[in-house]
Amino acid sequence: MIDDLFANDDSILRQWQEPLAKDAVVLRGFAYDEAQALLQHITAIAEAAPFRHFVIPNGHTMSIAMTNCGTFGWTSNEQGYRYTETDPMSGQAWPQIPTIFLQIAQQAAHRAGFSHFIPNACLINRYHPGARLSLHQDKDEMDFSHPIVSVSLGLPATFLFGGLQREQPCQRVTLTHGDIVVWGGDSRLCYHGVLPLKDGIAPSPLQDNVRYNLTFRHVSRH
Ligand code: MD3
Ligand code: FE
């Protein structure tokens, strides 16, 4: 009997939830089975819209590399940050969000209690060892009623999750291959960041010391 119940699918044993704060939850292992397909799509997206290191308004160049898919893509230069409908490198529209990306984002949002999440932007961050993301808020989407769904792939990272003010203390959360985090409601404008990536050997089929993070967003037309 027990054997029958678990014969064909033990994903229930590899997936659990960790509440982080009000309206924020880690869905451990939730994208693990789809990880290879997601990585193949990232490779294809990067062929059309290559990863690049943006310059930010203080003149520094980001240590993480980024690209996007969706109607809107996040971009930066010395003038400021903004979402654009075309890749400034090519002048072309960003690649479409693959169906499997949309399905995973929607399903994760649903599990976290956000029932009608339809992202129109997917920012893809690439971290090599030493790359980091300093403490910030995500405010460029304009409408904060939609959650953000994040998918981690490859090497693990230490994620910092703070409060609504920069000075508030941060929780440290390790995000590993296949983990999803959903942030909405009261957590949507919390400060957050990523510590410098430690060196390591990423899981197969990533033959590289790399971490990818997908963030699904709903951007309102400005
Ligand atoms: C908490 N990326 O792209 S994802 C970003 O791992 C970003 O690459 C990080 O922060 C990364 O903006 C963290 C998790 C995340 C994303 C958005 C949030 C956490 C968030 C918005 C509000 C609160
Ligand atoms: Fe962020």
Side-chain angles (χ1 to χ4, degrees):
M1 254 336 258
I2 298 281
D3 280 357
D4 284 350
L5 282 173
F6 295 106
N8 299 315
D9 184 4
D10 66 350
S11 66
I12 192 169
L13 303 173
R14 292 180 283 98
Q15 295 182 355
W16 67 92
Q17 303 194 5
E18 293 175 16
L20 260 188
K22 187 166 180 296
D23 301 323
V25 63
V26 187
L27 305 174
R28 294 289 182 191
F30 196 76
Y32 191 90
D33 291 338
E34 290 80 19
Q36 302 211 15
L38 298 180
L39 289 164
Q40 282 172 8
H41 282 292
I42 291 171
T43 301
I45 290 162
E47 277 166 20
F51 282 99
R52 77 292 307 264
H53 293 268
F54 284 119
V55 176
I56 53 177
N58 70 8
H60 290 117
T61 300
M62 297 182 80
S63 59
I64 66 175
M66 295 173 157
T67 187
N68 294 276
C69 55
T71 305
F72 296 99
W74 190 88
T75 65
S76 176
N77 63 24
E78 292 88 337
Q79 268 54 262
Y81 320 114
R82 61 199 195 99
Y83 279 98
T84 62
E85 291 180 75
T86 55
D87 180 348
M89 263 168 58
S90 65
Q92 299 293 112
W94 298 103
Q96 284 199 330
I97 303 182
T99 302
I100 187 173
F101 282 27
L102 292 171
Q103 285 171 343
I104 288 172
Q106 217 165 88
Q107 211 176 122
H110 189 260
R111 292 244 173 151
F114 300 93
S115 45
H116 299 292
F117 180 51
I118 302 187
N120 60 6
C122 173
L123 172 61
I124 307 173
N125 295 333
R126 187 186 67 193
Y127 296 72
H128 282 125
R132 60 191 286 271
L133 190 56
S134 56
L135 219 56
H136 67 279
Q137 292 172 295
D138 288 17
K139 294 196 292 196
D140 300 327
E141 296 77 22
M142 311 299 278
D143 177 351
F144 310 126
S145 63
H146 301 269
I148 291 182
V149 173
S150 129
V151 180
S152 292
L153 298 168
L155 290 177
T158 303
F159 175 72
L160 301 175
F161 182 53
L164 291 174
Q165 266 124 20
R166 186 180 286 278
E167 300 73 29
Q168 286 173 266
C170 288
Q171 298 185 57
R172 290 181 172 214
V173 186
T174 303
L175 296 180
T176 66
H177 188 65
D179 288 346
I180 296 191
V181 194
V182 182
W183 325 80
D186 287 355
S187 287
R188 179 62 184 76
L189 288 175
C190 286
Y191 276 89
H192 58 279
V194 179
L195 291 185
L197 197 78
K198 289 204 295 179
D199 206 351
I201 312 291
S204 174
L206 287 170
Q207 289 125 0
D208 213 358
N209 296 350
V210 68
R211 169 179 190 252
Y212 292 102
N213 182 265
L214 309 174
T215 46
F216 296 95
R217 303 148 187 271
H218 188 95
V219 174
S220 294
R221 221 168 261 282
H222 335 353

PDB file of all heavy atoms in Angstrom, residues 17 22 43 52 54 76 79 107 122-123 182 184 212:
ATOM      1  N   GLN A  17       7.941  23.763   2.643  1.00  0.00           N
ATOM      2  CA  GLN A  17       7.842  25.220   2.690  1.00  0.00           C
ATOM      3  C   GLN A  17       8.461  25.742   3.980  1.00  0.00           C
ATOM      4  O   GLN A  17       8.295  25.147   5.025  1.00  0.00           O
ATOM      5  CB  GLN A  17       6.372  25.659   2.633  1.00  0.00           C
ATOM      6  CG  GLN A  17       5.645  25.147   1.412  1.00  0.00           C
ATOM      7  CD  GLN A  17       4.312  25.847   1.197  1.00  0.00           C
ATOM      8  OE1 GLN A  17       3.959  26.778   1.900  1.00  0.00           O
ATOM      9  NE2 GLN A  17       3.566  25.400   0.195  1.00  0.00           N
ATOM     10  N   LYS A  22       5.909  37.568   7.134  1.00  0.00           N
ATOM     11  CA  LYS A  22       4.551  37.695   6.642  1.00  0.00           C
ATOM     12  C   LYS A  22       4.596  37.879   5.121  1.00  0.00           C
ATOM     13  O   LYS A  22       5.354  38.698   4.626  1.00  0.00           O
ATOM     14  CB  LYS A  22       3.859  38.891   7.296  1.00  0.00           C
ATOM     15  CG  LYS A  22       2.381  38.969   6.937  1.00  0.00           C
ATOM     16  CD  LYS A  22       1.644  39.943   7.841  1.00  0.00           C
ATOM     17  CE  LYS A  22       0.173  39.990   7.450  1.00  0.00           C
ATOM     18  NZ  LYS A  22      -0.018  40.529   6.074  1.00  0.00           N
ATOM     19  N   THR A  43      19.927  29.330 -21.665  1.00  0.00           N
ATOM     20  CA  THR A  43      20.960  29.331 -22.720  1.00  0.00           C
ATOM     21  C   THR A  43      20.401  29.919 -24.020  1.00  0.00           C
ATOM     22  O   THR A  43      21.059  30.742 -24.670  1.00  0.00           O
ATOM     23  CB  THR A  43      21.480  27.895 -22.953  1.00  0.00           C
ATOM     24  OG1 THR A  43      22.014  27.413 -21.724  1.00  0.00           O
ATOM     25  CG2 THR A  43      22.549  27.851 -24.022  1.00  0.00           C
ATOM     26  N   ARG A  52      24.925  40.765 -19.761  1.00  0.00           N
ATOM     27  CA  ARG A  52      25.804  41.932 -19.732  1.00  0.00           C
ATOM     28  C   ARG A  52      25.876  42.463 -18.301  1.00  0.00           C
ATOM     29  O   ARG A  52      24.987  42.227 -17.483  1.00  0.00           O
ATOM     30  CB  ARG A  52      25.336  43.018 -20.717  1.00  0.00           C
ATOM     31  CG  ARG A  52      24.129  43.883 -20.298  1.00  0.00           C
ATOM     32  CD  ARG A  52      22.827  43.172 -20.233  1.00  0.00           C
ATOM     33  NE  ARG A  52      22.395  42.436 -21.392  1.00  0.00           N
ATOM     34  CZ  ARG A  52      21.564  42.917 -22.321  1.00  0.00           C
ATOM     35  NH1 ARG A  52      21.096  44.170 -22.222  1.00  0.00           N
ATOM     36  NH2 ARG A  52      21.167  42.158 -23.305  1.00  0.00           N
ATOM     37  N   PHE A  54      25.602  45.602 -16.207  1.00  0.00           N
ATOM     38  CA  PHE A  54      25.108  46.975 -16.281  1.00  0.00           C
ATOM     39  C   PHE A  54      25.944  47.912 -15.414  1.00  0.00           C
ATOM     40  O   PHE A  54      26.436  47.521 -14.352  1.00  0.00           O
ATOM     41  CB  PHE A  54      23.660  47.059 -15.798  1.00  0.00           C
ATOM     42  CG  PHE A  54      22.657  46.545 -16.797  1.00  0.00           C
ATOM     43  CD1 PHE A  54      21.850  45.462 -16.475  1.00  0.00           C
ATOM     44  CD2 PHE A  54      22.503  47.156 -18.037  1.00  0.00           C
ATOM     45  CE1 PHE A  54      20.902  44.988 -17.378  1.00  0.00           C
ATOM     46  CE2 PHE A  54      21.566  46.684 -18.945  1.00  0.00           C
ATOM     47  CZ  PHE A  54      20.763  45.599 -18.615  1.00  0.00           C
ATOM     48  N   SER A  76      19.832  49.219 -16.833  1.00  0.00           N
ATOM     49  CA  SER A  76      20.444  50.300 -16.056  1.00  0.00           C
ATOM     50  C   SER A  76      21.541  50.949 -16.877  1.00  0.00           C
ATOM     51  O   SER A  76      22.178  50.308 -17.732  1.00  0.00           O
ATOM     52  CB  SER A  76      21.032  49.715 -14.766  1.00  0.00           C
ATOM     53  OG  SER A  76      21.706  50.709 -14.046  1.00  0.00           O
ATOM     54  N   GLN A  79      22.405  56.994 -16.132  1.00  0.00           N
ATOM     55  CA  GLN A  79      21.243  57.870 -15.911  1.00  0.00           C
ATOM     56  C   GLN A  79      20.268  57.316 -14.870  1.00  0.00           C
ATOM     57  O   GLN A  79      19.588  58.078 -14.190  1.00  0.00           O
ATOM     58  CB  GLN A  79      20.470  58.065 -17.228  1.00  0.00           C
ATOM     59  CG  GLN A  79      20.900  59.271 -18.048  1.00  0.00           C
ATOM     60  CD  GLN A  79      22.387  59.306 -18.351  1.00  0.00           C
ATOM     61  OE1 GLN A  79      23.131  59.987 -17.657  1.00  0.00           O
ATOM     62  NE2 GLN A  79      22.824  58.565 -19.368  1.00  0.00           N
ATOM     63  N   GLN A 107       2.356  28.622 -10.617  1.00  0.00           N
ATOM     64  CA  GLN A 107       2.118  27.551  -9.656  1.00  0.00           C
ATOM     65  C   GLN A 107       2.720  27.889  -8.282  1.00  0.00           C
ATOM     66  O   GLN A 107       2.100  27.665  -7.247  1.00  0.00           O
ATOM     67  CB  GLN A 107       2.756  26.270 -10.201  1.00  0.00           C
ATOM     68  CG  GLN A 107       2.050  25.012  -9.811  1.00  0.00           C
ATOM     69  CD  GLN A 107       2.703  23.814 -10.478  1.00  0.00           C
ATOM     70  OE1 GLN A 107       3.146  22.907  -9.785  1.00  0.00           O
ATOM     71  NE2 GLN A 107       2.783  23.808 -11.813  1.00  0.00           N
ATOM     72  N   CYS A 122      10.761  38.884 -16.738  1.00  0.00           N
ATOM     73  CA  CYS A 122      11.598  37.898 -16.041  1.00  0.00           C
ATOM     74  C   CYS A 122      13.045  38.345 -16.159  1.00  0.00           C
ATOM     75  O   CYS A 122      13.621  38.334 -17.248  1.00  0.00           O
ATOM     76  CB  CYS A 122      11.415  36.502 -16.634  1.00  0.00           C
ATOM     77  SG  CYS A 122      12.563  35.280 -15.959  1.00  0.00           S
ATOM     78  N   LEU A 123      13.595  38.793 -15.022  1.00  0.00           N
ATOM     79  CA  LEU A 123      14.998  39.208 -14.951  1.00  0.00           C
ATOM     80  C   LEU A 123      15.836  37.974 -14.629  1.00  0.00           C
ATOM     81  O   LEU A 123      15.488  37.210 -13.721  1.00  0.00           O
ATOM     82  CB  LEU A 123      15.150  40.274 -13.857  1.00  0.00           C
ATOM     83  CG  LEU A 123      16.567  40.704 -13.482  1.00  0.00           C
ATOM     84  CD1 LEU A 123      17.298  41.321 -14.674  1.00  0.00           C
ATOM     85  CD2 LEU A 123      16.509  41.707 -12.316  1.00  0.00           C
ATOM     86  N   VAL A 182       8.699  33.242  -2.833  1.00  0.00           N
ATOM     87  CA  VAL A 182       7.610  34.125  -3.250  1.00  0.00           C
ATOM     88  C   VAL A 182       7.509  35.264  -2.231  1.00  0.00           C
ATOM     89  O   VAL A 182       7.473  34.995  -1.019  1.00  0.00           O
ATOM     90  CB  VAL A 182       6.267  33.383  -3.349  1.00  0.00           C
ATOM     91  CG1 VAL A 182       5.167  34.323  -3.838  1.00  0.00           C
ATOM     92  CG2 VAL A 182       6.378  32.171  -4.272  1.00  0.00           C
ATOM     93  N   GLY A 184       5.345  38.813  -1.436  1.00  0.00           N
ATOM     94  CA  GLY A 184       4.242  39.689  -1.820  1.00  0.00           C
ATOM     95  C   GLY A 184       3.807  40.505  -0.645  1.00  0.00           C
ATOM     96  O   GLY A 184       4.482  40.529   0.383  1.00  0.00           O
ATOM     97  N   TYR A 212      22.345  30.947 -11.218  1.00  0.00           N
ATOM     98  CA  TYR A 212      21.362  31.774 -11.916  1.00  0.00           C
ATOM     99  C   TYR A 212      20.198  32.047 -10.976  1.00  0.00           C
ATOM    100  O   TYR A 212      19.818  31.175 -10.187  1.00  0.00           O
ATOM    101  CB  TYR A 212      20.818  31.068 -13.166  1.00  0.00           C
ATOM    102  CG  TYR A 212      21.830  30.889 -14.254  1.00  0.00           C
ATOM    103  CD1 TYR A 212      22.438  29.651 -14.466  1.00  0.00           C
ATOM    104  CD2 TYR A 212      22.191  31.951 -15.077  1.00  0.00           C
ATOM    105  CE1 TYR A 212      23.374  29.472 -15.475  1.00  0.00           C
ATOM    106  CE2 TYR A 212      23.127  31.785 -16.092  1.00  0.00           C
ATOM    107  CZ  TYR A 212      23.712  30.545 -16.268  1.00  0.00           C
ATOM    108  OH  TYR A 212      24.641  30.376 -17.264  1.00  0.00           O
TER     109      TYR A 212
END
